[in-house]
Amino acid sequence: YLTLCVSAVHQALNMYLTAKQSSFYQMLSHTDQMTNCRNRRDFMEHTASWEPGRNDVILMIDINYLKTINDTFGHDVGDTYIIECAKALQYVCSDRCECFRMGGDEFLIWGHDMTEDDLNRLEIICSELVIEKCRHISPLCSISIGSAIYRPEDASISDTIKRADLKMYEKKKKLKRIEIQI
């Protein structure tokens, strides 16, 4: 009887540890290791299960001047810059939005049940918080944001993402033109 009890406890413990490991590896496969943001893989799974009608908004975010920071201060400072930007963006996210690191210095915030006013406030808060959190790294620290609200004529959330991405790159181009003039 004792052997049977010990065997049952051992088997239950192994099942518990296997389940715990499985959820740990699942979390790892959906989390960016550097920033602790959700990663591109997690984002792709979200787009596959997306359903229209929740007033979704997309913010495409690109970190400005990362190459300059890397070249001037080193890649460890550049990594700190990315991490601090990620912390600021995650801080802004509430139960109505999620932050994903899409790769390199690009992030995406996906908001749900938001109005255009909510979106505009979110953009401003993201920009201001990144500047505040990264000021100690360099006065150049900032982000470019392009945003879009899902429209019924969008075939999928991908159309909304494309519009936000285009707006973000337009802002990056304007920033580069200003740099050239200076």
Side-chain angles (χ1 to χ4, degrees):
Y1 182 73
L2 182 61
T3 304
L4 188 58
C5 286
V6 168
S7 176
V9 168
H10 188 270
Q11 188 176 16
L13 181 61
N14 280 340
M15 288 173 56
Y16 169 76
L17 292 174
T18 300
K20 192 167 179 144
Q21 268 186 330
S22 177
S23 63
F24 173 73
Y25 289 123
Q26 179 76 12
M27 182 271 308
L28 278 181
S29 73
H30 289 90
T31 304
D32 177 67
Q33 298 306 298
M34 184 168 146
T35 63
N36 286 321
C37 288
R38 297 165 93 164
N39 64 18
R40 180 181 283 271
R41 176 189 183 133
D42 193 53
F43 169 76
M44 296 307 288
E45 288 183 14
H46 267 61
T47 60
S49 64
W50 174 79
E51 295 177 18
R54 293 182 4 176
N55 293 330
D56 287 338
V57 300
I58 299 291
L59 282 78
M60 292 299 299
I61 301 162
D62 191 76
I63 298 174
N64 295 328
Y65 306 111
L66 180 61
K67 182 175 178 3
T68 303
I69 301 287
N70 281 336
D71 292 349
T72 305
F73 303 110
H75 287 272
D76 57 327
V77 175
D79 287 350
T80 300
Y81 182 23
I82 293 170
I83 292 166
E84 291 300 314
C85 285
K87 285 179 186 176
L89 297 174
Q90 287 173 305
Y91 181 80
V92 169
C93 287
S94 64
D95 57 341
R96 291 179 18 190
C97 58
E98 304 151 304
C99 182
F100 300 87
R101 183 176 181 205
M102 301 304 284
D105 62 348
E106 283 197 357
F107 292 83
L108 180 147
I109 291 179
W110 190 337
H112 310 291
D113 299 317
M114 291 190 171
T115 65
E116 192 166 347
D117 287 341
D118 293 334
L119 176 61
N120 292 334
R121 276 193 300 277
L122 188 59
E123 273 193 62
I124 291 166
I125 292 168
C126 284
S127 292
E128 289 176 352
L129 195 55
V130 163
I131 291 168
E132 179 185 316
K133 292 256 183 204
C134 298
R135 180 179 302 143
H136 69 281
I137 296 169
S138 168
L140 296 176
C141 293
S142 64
I143 54 176
S144 292
I145 302 175
S147 63
I149 298 174
Y150 172 76
R151 300 184 300 211
E153 61 268 19
D154 290 345
S156 70
I157 196 67
S158 295
D159 290 343
T160 312
I161 293 166
K162 287 175 189 170
R163 282 188 288 114
D165 205 35
L166 285 172
K167 288 179 182 177
M168 187 261 301
Y169 279 108
E170 287 172 10
K171 289 181 180 179
K172 293 289 277 189
K173 284 179 189 176
K174 285 180 186 175
L175 185 63
K176 290 189 190 271
R177 273 185 253 148
I178 291 170
E179 290 172 359
I180 291 170
Q181 290 175 359
I182 295 175

